[in-house]
Amino acid sequence: MTRIGLTGGIGSGKTTVAAMLAAKGAVIIDADQISREIVEPGQPALDEIVTVFGAGVLREDGSLNRGELARLAFSDKELTKRLNAIMHPRISAESTARIAAAPAHSIVIYDMPLLVETKQDSAVDHVIVVDVPVETQRERAIGRGLDAEDVDRRIQAQATREQRLAVAHTVIDNSHTLAETQAQVDRLWNSLLS
């Protein structure tokens, strides 16, 4: 099994690259998906989040209002730390279990936005960073309907572009066309198979 960490800042196009790798046959372990699963109603993480942030982070149906949680959590460094203390150990444990369950000869892509911040880059064999300029990240995230101030807070809370690039074995420049990104993914895939 080859374990590859895939990371990039908000709006970098990491999800697009993950989909391209999945189409090639990679097994994708998506930390964002896991983060959504562990805060579903009835899950212990949701109870802890409500204890820390209050019932205002819940929708009427009892599900988590992720936008409201992000607004609160990223407004204060101490609150960001408290949210991370609830989420990161659970995401890491579930990701580790899913990676271990993957077929023995597979190429496993651990799609983890906070790979650098959580120092999980040392737990994989190879790190792919999907990179775009910060201005592009911001434009894309706002274009997806996120609040500009929320986007800026998230960018500030994440590793810097330089910190991500410092641990990269492969950099996918996603600031141009999809065809150019696909060509980079094709080259990467061929190198992983050789």
Side-chain angles (χ1 to χ4, degrees), residues 11-179:
S12 65
K14 186 179 51 58
T15 302
T16 299
V17 171
M20 291 175 177
L21 290 164
K24 299 275 188 192
V27 174
I28 307 295
I29 309 297
D30 183 344
D32 277 345
Q33 179 60 39
I34 292 169
S35 76
R36 287 187 286 276
E37 292 170 10
I38 65 173
V39 295
E40 289 176 354
Q43 294 296 319
L46 183 59
D47 295 337
E48 284 188 49
I49 287 169
V50 170
T51 298
V52 172
F53 294 93
V57 298
L58 295 177
R59 291 192 171 94
E60 286 185 22
D61 66 359
S63 65
L64 181 64
N65 181 333
R66 294 172 63 86
E68 179 62 14
L69 176 62
R71 187 187 69 74
L72 293 171
F74 295 118
S75 67
D76 177 278
K77 287 186 180 190
E78 192 54 42
L79 289 176
T80 303
K81 285 181 189 176
R82 292 184 73 184
L83 177 61
N84 289 345
I86 294 167
M87 298 295 289
H88 290 177
R90 288 178 169 93
I91 294 168
S92 180
E94 182 61 27
S95 298
T96 299
R98 292 184 189 190
I99 291 168
H105 298 292
S106 57
I107 295 176
V108 176
I109 305 294
Y110 181 34
D111 180 352
M112 173 50 147
L114 302 178
L115 190 76
V116 175
E117 294 87 338
T118 59
K119 303 194 181 345
Q120 293 183 63
D121 54 293
S122 60
V124 295
D125 305 309
H126 190 98
V127 175
I128 302 167
V129 172
V130 182
D131 184 55
V132 296
V134 173
E135 303 78 38
T136 303
Q137 285 181 261
R138 191 172 187 281
E139 288 170 15
R140 288 179 180 173
I142 293 168
R144 289 194 326 237
L146 294 176
D147 176 75
E149 288 182 14
D150 184 35
V151 170
D152 291 339
R153 283 192 296 267
R154 289 181 192 213
I155 289 171
Q156 290 299 315
Q158 292 181 343
T160 65
R161 188 178 183 195
E162 293 74 22
Q163 288 169 323
R164 282 190 295 273
L165 293 174
V167 302
H169 296 98
T170 301
V171 176
I172 301 288
D173 177 358
N174 194 31
S175 59
H176 303 291
T177 67
L178 275 178

